[in-house]
Each structure stands twice: as C-alpha cells, then as structure tokens.
Amino acid sequence: MIISISGYPGSGKSTVRGILARRLGYKEYSIGDLRGKLAIERGLTIDELNALGEIESWTDKDVDEYQRKLGEIEDNFVIDGRTSFYFIPHSFKVFLKVDVEEGARRIMMSHRPDEPFVDSLSKKVEQIKARVESDCRRYMQYYGVDMSDESVFDMVIDTTNQLPDKVADQILDAVKLTTKFLDV
C-alpha cells in the first residue's frame, strides 16, 4: 500500500508522513525535501526554484519522474508531495488543508534551510500565497493538473486545529475502511 499526501504549505504533510511511516513500518519519501535540496544545491530558495520552474521544466519534471518510478517499482511507503496523487494514482490519496496564517506560522517555526526568511507573519502569508499560485501554474502548464481539486483525493483533512497524531489516526482509520487497501 502507498499513501500519498498532498496539500498546502504548512499543512503538516511532512510531519504526518513521518508519523504514518513509523506506525506502519514503511519507508517514507518527501518530494518537497527533494526539491528543497535541489534549491539549496543551486544557491536558491524554494520560491526561487519555483520561479525558475515556470520557465524551465526540469525543476519539476525530474522529481516528478522519480516519484512516478517509485510508484511503479516499490510498495509500502508514504510519500508527500503536491503532485504525488497524480504520479502515483493507485495510492491512497490524502489532501491536507490549513488556514494560510496557521500554515505560515508553522513554516516560520520550522526553520527549513530552503525557506526564504521573512520577519513577519504577513510577509510569510504573502510568500505562501505566491508559492501556491506558482505551483498551480506549473502543474497546469506541465501536466494539466489542478493540485487543489479536492475531488481527486480519497480523503481531505483540515489540519488547522488538529494535532499531527490525530490527523494520522484519521488517515489510518480511513485506509482501513477502504476496500482497495484491506491488507492494512
């Protein structure tokens, strides 16, 4: 079984991925971490890499091909990435939503090395909105996919006022009830 987690910045994708992987004894992958590493290797922030991605497809297509192959050759893992649901269509697809201010607060507290520094919550909110707009443009341009179309997911959770362990509980409960994943 593969669980793919998509969602908005600061929604808890990475945290929930780790909890699920530990509970299930599965491998875990993060497309966001992989793209963050690409950005750092090139001396860029994630937002600068995204801007580059609007004119150069390799910034997305290389990591997207990687996750597509993972979905073909491996099983029993949890992956987070905005397009993982699309490239691993047989996964149990989860979308995590979050209030943009709460997402911004979480990101500011995380201190990711690829995250551009800002000195206020309002500036981080604006960065996040711009990031989501860039993601939406790129995914539509390259794949004809709307990452915010909640109808394509098996489950949608608003994490704004929830602890990550409780979000993981909800996902595992839903997976167990879904007939195509009865072996969990």
Side-chain angles (χ1 to χ4, degrees), residues 90-147:
H90 57 285
S91 64
F92 184 83
K93 298 175 276 304
V94 178
F95 188 85
L96 301 182
K97 300 181 345 179
V98 67
D99 172 79
V100 69
E101 285 190 13
E102 175 61 17
R105 186 189 64 73
R106 292 174 183 175
I107 290 170
M108 288 181 76
M109 292 174 49
S110 72
H111 307 294
R112 285 182 56 131
D114 61 316
E115 189 66 39
F117 173 78
V118 294
D119 58 3
S120 73
L121 184 63
S122 63
K123 288 179 183 175
K124 184 54 74 178
V125 165
E126 292 310 311
Q127 277 184 346
I128 289 172
K129 287 178 180 179
R131 182 176 304 163
V132 170
E133 288 171 8
S134 176
D135 289 346
C136 289
R137 277 192 302 273
R138 292 188 334 274
Y139 305 149
M140 188 57 68
Q141 175 184 348
Y142 297 138
Y143 310 119
V145 172
D146 178 0
M147 64 152 260

Side-chain angles (χ1 to χ4, degrees), residues 30-155:
S30 174
I31 299 307
D33 287 352
L34 186 56
R35 293 190 79 250
K37 183 179 174 189
L38 281 175
I40 291 167
E41 288 171 353
R42 287 162 178 77
L44 303 171
T45 67
I46 193 65
D47 292 335
E48 291 167 336
L49 182 73
N50 289 345
L52 180 61
E54 290 186 32
I55 55 174
E56 297 195 23
S57 65
W58 65 266
T59 67
D60 286 292
K61 291 196 173 190
D62 289 353
V63 294
D64 290 337
E65 180 61 17
Y66 169 76
Q67 66 181 327
R68 185 189 64 74
K69 284 182 183 176
L70 274 175
E72 291 175 354
I73 63 173
E74 286 193 35
D75 197 11
N76 298 329
F77 66 87
V78 184
I79 187 167
D80 76 79
R82 300 244 207 310
T83 57
S84 298
F85 73 95
Y86 177 75
F87 289 100
I88 310 175
H90 57 285
S91 64
F92 184 83
K93 298 175 276 304
V94 178
F95 188 85
L96 301 182
K97 300 181 345 179
V98 67
D99 172 79
V100 69
E101 285 190 13
E102 175 61 17
R105 186 189 64 73
R106 292 174 183 175
I107 290 170
M108 288 181 76
M109 292 174 49
S110 72
H111 307 294
R112 285 182 56 131
D114 61 316
E115 189 66 39
F117 173 78
V118 294
D119 58 3
S120 73
L121 184 63
S122 63
K123 288 179 183 175
K124 184 54 74 178
V125 165
E126 292 310 311
Q127 277 184 346
I128 289 172
K129 287 178 180 179
R131 182 176 304 163
V132 170
E133 288 171 8
S134 176
D135 289 346
C136 289
R137 277 192 302 273
R138 292 188 334 274
Y139 305 149
M140 188 57 68
Q141 175 184 348
Y142 297 138
Y143 310 119
V145 172
D146 178 0
M147 64 152 260
S148 64
D149 178 3
E150 295 178 11
S151 71
V152 301
F153 294 91
D154 297 305
M155 177 174 216

